[in-house]
Amino acid sequence: VGVKVGVRTRGCNGLSYTLEYTKSKGDSDEEVVQDGVRVFIEKKAQLTLLGTEMDYVEDKLSSEFVFNNPNIKGTCGCGESFNI
């Protein structure tokens, strides 16, 4: 049905993004529909992700989701985790 986005405590800098397919909307999930894609944001991640832009980028070496989060104060060297 859609993709669920959240954050988990993980990595050397504190938080990392999670993405998973979901078949239903959770009771407290926020739903965003963009270009026909349903994205559900976990309740505990909503303030962390406020104002964040998510994009899917493909180039010759990789294909990945990229998050542009204006709330981030710092990231780790490998870019896997962030802090707010």
Side-chain angles (χ1 to χ4, degrees), residues 1-59:
V1 170
V3 176
K4 184 176 281 197
V5 179
V7 293
R8 298 284 183 266
T9 303
R10 192 179 333 179
C12 55
N13 218 348
L15 299 169
S16 65
Y17 300 105
T18 62
L19 286 170
E20 60 187 58
Y21 294 111
T22 185
K23 293 183 179 184
S24 62
K25 178 181 182 278
D27 292 336
S28 57
D29 292 346
E30 180 73 25
E31 181 178 356
V32 177
V33 179
Q34 180 70 41
D35 297 326
V37 177
R38 294 174 72 187
V39 178
F40 303 102
I41 304 168
E42 294 178 347
K43 181 179 181 168
K44 64 182 180 177
Q46 290 174 7
L47 289 177
T48 305
L49 297 174
L50 191 64
T52 299
E53 295 176 358
M54 184 174 91
D55 195 11
Y56 185 76
V57 177
E58 290 183 274
D59 60 28

